[in-house]
């Protein structure tokens, strides 16, 4: 029988509110290092001590913390009742958080989630509600059962009761499942150390990644990538900022990735890790996308990830209308295209390389720790706003889902990509209707492929076609000509009810003043 999580582990205060962003921006960073007794947690921490800057890190063994609080008398701790033991454990982890604040350091704490004697039906959970209030990250050392059995037998410092391989396997999997769920509920970033990896290298990569990532540095890294994508070209006057999944093509690379890893049965599709993650308190926050990156890191090493991205890219076909549009606009030196994706950057970079745009269109996104960045709906909007307000550029935005809506509303001109009804975002209609009716949003829609049904209605959300010369002219026009004529032609062409375009919302948006275009960069 699998162990049950005791109630005190699931009723603690949630570390962050849903969608709130970076858990590590608002409290000291405390990283838990978990694993079964005999998995090698303490040895791993001692190896990490030799690799990191001790001025920035504090190291703790859970048992040593308790021993300190009990004046060195662990035997006395063992005699306490369960409530008293829990109070001591809560006091121990709270003291770690206080130490971190005092010394302005990151803590690495070796801890236990539960103990489970083989002759008992379920494990005894020793994690407390305070643990889930204090920890910002938890790393779980997953070890093969044969390696764990060998380590337990060869440990000369600790006498552990004999246990079967089957029980160790069940115990370890139960801890991983419970901790993964609890970390989602409390917005704690969680990763196992995969059994196919080198534990020290992988854990060091995680620890260093955790230490250097926060909300402000994420935006700065994204800004740098946008500047590089524009090549600091002073000729650039117009930028097309394009979403990837279900916008550039009908496919969603994230869903494809997990189908390739886990299988494509309906049961597995319903338990897609991304679906579970983004419906949790993490939501679509920066921390949520950081957690998605950790899931990708767990699922495949760098070589396997690259192979999988290549395979997925070969199965994705960019809408031919986008291919033609990109070919037209990329021939004009003053127009640039940037793909900004919340999904897997590498897949879409390969897709565009195969389509012939490897040198002219850059993809900015995450999926791996090496990418350094994650793209959120808020980041998309900030990029577009900065391109317009700080860099003085005219921005066209293209997207398909509510995640793109902040970016679309921040742009000078916005195009909604309406794809196949069965694949497109079901929540986008309500989100669009609210933005149009309540916030004066004036987008247009393109049907890709052209035979699909439009969203909403074509009065509220007018149609356009990428092949229309007026649309292409509006995208690539020279600013020296002036925008009024182009805007009037474009709006009158695609609106069923507007004849005189001067006072329309779209025309006003196109004619809105921007800052000096000589200012380069994203700000």
């Amino acid at each position: 029988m699998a162990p049950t999580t005791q109630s005190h582990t699931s009723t603690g205060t949630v570390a962050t509110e849903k969608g709130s962003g970076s858990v590590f921006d608002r409290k000291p960073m405390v990283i838990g290092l978990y694993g079964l007794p005999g998995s090698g947690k303490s040895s791993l921490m001692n190896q990490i001590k030799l690799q990191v800057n001790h001025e920035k890190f504090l190291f703790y063994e859970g048992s040593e913390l308790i021993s300190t609080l009990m004046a060195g008398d662990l035997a006395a701790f063992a005699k306490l009742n369960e409530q008293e033991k829990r109070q001591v454990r809560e006091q121990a982890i709270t003291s770690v958080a206080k130490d971190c604040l005092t010394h302005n350091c990151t803590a690495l704490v070796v801890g236990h989630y539960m103990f489970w004697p083989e002759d008992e039906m379920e494990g005894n959970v020793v994690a407390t509600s305070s643990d889930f209030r204090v920890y910002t990250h938890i790393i779980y050392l997953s070890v093969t059962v044969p390696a764990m059995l060998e380590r337990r037998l060869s440990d000369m410092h600790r006498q552990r009761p004999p246990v079967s391989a089957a029980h160790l396997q069940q115990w370890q999997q139960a801890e991983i499942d419970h901790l993964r769920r609890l970390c989602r509920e409390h917005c704690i970033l969680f990763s196992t150390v995969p059994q196919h990896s080198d534990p020290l290298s992988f854990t060091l990569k995680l620890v260093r990644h955790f230490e250097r990532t926060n909300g402000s540095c994420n935006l700065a890294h994204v800004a740098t990538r946008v500047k590089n994508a524009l090549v600091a070209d002073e000729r650039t006057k117009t930028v097309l900022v394009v979403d990837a999944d279900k916008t550039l093509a009908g496919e969603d690379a994230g869903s494809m990735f997990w189908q390739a890893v886990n299988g494509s049965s309906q049961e597995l599709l319903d338990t897609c890790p991304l679906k579970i993650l983004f419906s949790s308190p993490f939501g679509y926050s920066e921390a949520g996308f950081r957690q998605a990156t950790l899931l990708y890191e767990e699922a495949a090493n760098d070589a396997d990830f690259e192979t999988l991205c290549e395979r997925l890219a070969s199965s994705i076909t960019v809408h031919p209308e986008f291919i033609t549009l990109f070919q037209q606009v990329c021939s004009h030196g003053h127009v640039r295209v940037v793909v900004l994706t919340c999904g897997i950057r590498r897949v879409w970079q390969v897709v565009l390389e195969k389509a012939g745009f490897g040198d002219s269109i850059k993809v900015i996104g995450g999926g791996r720790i090496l990418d350094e960045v994650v793209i959120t709906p808020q980041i998309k909007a900030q990029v577009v706003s900065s391109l317009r307000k700080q860099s003085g550029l005219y921005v066209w935005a293209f997207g398909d889902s509510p995640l793109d809506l902040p970016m679309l509303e921040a742009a000078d001109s916005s195009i909604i990509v309406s794809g196949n009804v069965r694949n497109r975002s079901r929540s986008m209609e309500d989100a669009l209707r609210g933005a149009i009716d309540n916030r004066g949003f004036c987008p247009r829609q393109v049907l890709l492929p052209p035979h699909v049904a439009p969203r909403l209605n074509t009065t509220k959300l007018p149609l356009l076609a990428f092949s229309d010369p007026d649309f292409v002219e509006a995208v690539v026009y020279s600013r020296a000509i002036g925008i009024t004529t182009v805007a009037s032609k474009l709006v009158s062409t695609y609106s069923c009810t507007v004849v005189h375009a001067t006072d329309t919302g779209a025309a006003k948006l196109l004619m809105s003043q921007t800052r000096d275009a000589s200012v380069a960069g994203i700000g």
Side-chain angles (χ1 to χ4, degrees):
M1 179 178 177
T4 56
T5 304
Q6 295 183 2
S7 61
H8 61 262
T9 64
S10 58
T11 57
T13 303
V14 174
T16 59
E17 296 178 1
K18 184 169 183 175
S20 60
S22 305
V23 296
F24 28 78
D25 281 346
R26 293 194 300 279
K27 61 182 184 179
M29 187 177 295
V30 181
I31 305 170
L33 182 57
Y34 278 67
L36 295 192
S39 60
K41 304 183 298 296
S42 298
S43 297
L44 180 58
M45 186 176 73
N46 289 332
Q47 291 176 291
I48 292 172
K49 285 181 181 179
L50 301 175
Q51 301 289 331
V52 299
N53 185 346
H54 281 236
E55 293 182 358
K56 296 182 178 180
F57 284 89
L58 300 172
F59 299 89
Y60 301 89
E61 280 269 6
S63 58
E64 292 176 0
L65 280 168
I66 291 173
S67 178
T68 299
L69 291 173
M70 297 297 296
D73 192 354
L74 284 176
F77 175 78
K79 295 176 182 178
L80 299 177
N81 62 40
E82 289 304 313
Q83 182 177 355
E84 291 169 333
K85 287 179 179 177
R86 184 164 64 251
Q87 289 173 346
V88 173
R89 292 184 178 111
E90 289 180 338
Q91 187 179 351
I93 194 64
T94 301
S95 71
V96 170
K98 291 179 180 178
D99 286 350
C100 289
L101 288 173
T102 299
H103 300 287
N104 192 27
C105 287
T106 294
L108 187 64
V109 184
V110 171
H112 294 282
Y113 175 69
M114 70 173 158
F115 296 106
W116 192 1
E118 189 163 6
D119 59 353
E120 295 185 8
M121 293 296 292
E122 60 184 35
N124 176 32
V125 176
V126 295
T128 71
S129 58
S130 292
D131 290 322
F132 295 101
R133 283 195 295 268
V134 169
Y135 283 122
T136 53
H137 308 73
I138 290 179
I139 301 170
Y140 192 92
L141 181 55
S142 178
V143 180
T144 63
V145 169
M148 201 171 346
L149 283 170
E150 181 179 354
R151 187 176 285 116
R152 289 169 68 94
L153 289 172
S154 61
D155 190 343
M156 305 301 295
H157 301 288
R158 299 183 185 180
Q159 293 295 320
R160 295 187 173 94
V163 62
S164 69
H167 182 67
L168 284 177
Q169 182 65 47
Q170 184 181 15
W171 182 359
Q172 180 168 256
Q173 191 58 53
E175 289 205 345
I176 292 172
D177 292 344
H178 285 198
L179 281 168
R180 196 183 295 279
R181 176 179 60 80
L182 286 165
C183 285
R184 281 198 306 267
E185 292 176 1
H186 293 82
C187 293
I188 299 167
L189 297 186
F190 176 83
S191 177
T192 65
V193 178
Q195 295 178 2
H196 59 69
S197 67
D198 173 68
L200 178 59
S201 298
F202 191 89
T203 306
L204 272 175
K205 178 171 71 171
L206 291 180
V207 169
R208 287 168 173 160
H209 171 63
F210 296 157
E211 185 195 14
R212 65 175 178 258
T213 51
N214 58 56
S216 59
C217 82
N218 185 53
L219 180 58
H221 285 315
V222 173
T224 298
R225 281 157 177 73
V226 172
K227 288 181 181 179
N228 292 339
L230 298 179
V231 200
D233 193 337
E234 294 184 358
R235 297 177 301 165
T236 301
K237 306 298 180 185
T238 301
V239 180
L240 279 60
V241 180
V242 187
D243 174 50
D245 295 285
K246 296 188 178 181
T247 296
L248 276 180
E251 293 85 2
D252 183 316
S255 296
M256 293 171 67
F257 180 94
W258 291 107
Q259 288 178 38
V261 170
N262 294 335
S264 56
S265 69
Q266 187 58 50
E267 180 181 358
L268 291 171
L269 291 177
D270 291 339
T271 57
C272 171
L274 295 183
K275 183 177 181 180
I276 295 171
L277 168 63
F278 292 126
S279 61
S280 77
F282 272 118
Y284 292 102
S285 64
E286 181 187 327
F289 285 101
R290 294 278 183 205
Q291 181 60 59
T293 298
L294 298 181
L295 291 173
Y296 288 123
E297 291 283 349
E298 281 188 70
N301 61 31
D302 290 342
D304 291 341
F305 185 83
E306 178 66 21
T307 299
L308 191 50
C309 287
E310 291 275 355
R311 178 152 59 93
L312 296 179
S314 298
S315 302
I316 294 174
T317 302
V318 178
H319 292 301
E321 293 84 356
F322 266 116
I323 296 288
T324 302
L325 176 64
F326 291 163
Q327 289 171 340
Q328 290 174 309
V329 302
C330 287
S331 65
H332 295 265
H334 65 284
V335 184
R336 307 288 298 184
V337 179
V338 175
V339 173
L340 202 58
T341 177
C342 296
I344 307 173
R345 179 198 63 81
R346 183 57 185 156
V347 171
W348 291 103
Q349 191 68 64
V350 175
V351 167
L352 288 172
E353 288 170 359
K354 291 179 182 294
F357 298 104
D359 295 328
S360 54
I361 299 177
K362 298 301 180 185
V363 180
I364 301 169
R368 299 300 276 181
I369 285 175
L370 284 175
D371 287 318
E372 292 187 310
V373 304
V374 292
I375 303 299
T376 68
Q378 292 72 29
I379 287 287
K380 286 187 172 186
Q382 287 174 303
V383 167
V384 168
S385 294
S386 188
L387 287 172
R388 291 182 61 217
K389 297 175 182 178
Q390 273 73 53
S391 301
L393 303 176
Y394 193 91
V395 180
W396 292 78
F398 301 75
D400 74 291
S401 78
L403 296 185
D404 302 316
L405 201 50
M407 169 185 77
L408 293 163
E409 291 192 70
D412 292 289
S413 292
S414 301
I415 310 299
I416 310 299
V417 174
S418 297
N420 284 314
V421 175
R422 63 185 179 87
N423 290 334
R424 66 195 188 194
S425 169
R426 294 184 178 89
S427 58
M428 185 58 163
E429 273 76 7
D430 288 341
L432 273 174
R433 191 177 290 109
I436 293 169
D437 292 345
N438 302 325
R439 299 193 294 276
F441 184 39
C442 299
R444 282 151 285 169
Q445 66 176 314
V446 60
L447 308 182
L448 298 178
H451 60 76
V452 301
R455 291 183 184 274
L456 302 180
N457 60 68
T458 55
T459 300
K460 188 179 289 288
L461 191 58
L463 294 172
L464 64 77
F466 286 174
S467 59
D468 190 287
D470 289 338
F471 169 69
V472 177
E473 181 185 358
V475 174
V476 303
Y477 85 100
S478 170
R479 285 192 169 186
I481 297 174
I483 191 66
T484 305
T485 303
V486 175
S488 298
K489 288 173 64 179
L490 184 61
V491 175
S492 62
T493 299
Y494 294 114
S495 172
C496 298
T497 58
V498 177
V499 176
H500 187 270
T502 306
D503 294 323
T504 64
K508 290 178 180 178
L509 190 60
L510 285 167
M511 291 186 285
S512 61
Q513 187 176 8
T514 56
R515 292 181 61 180
D516 184 0
S518 65
V519 180
I522 192 171

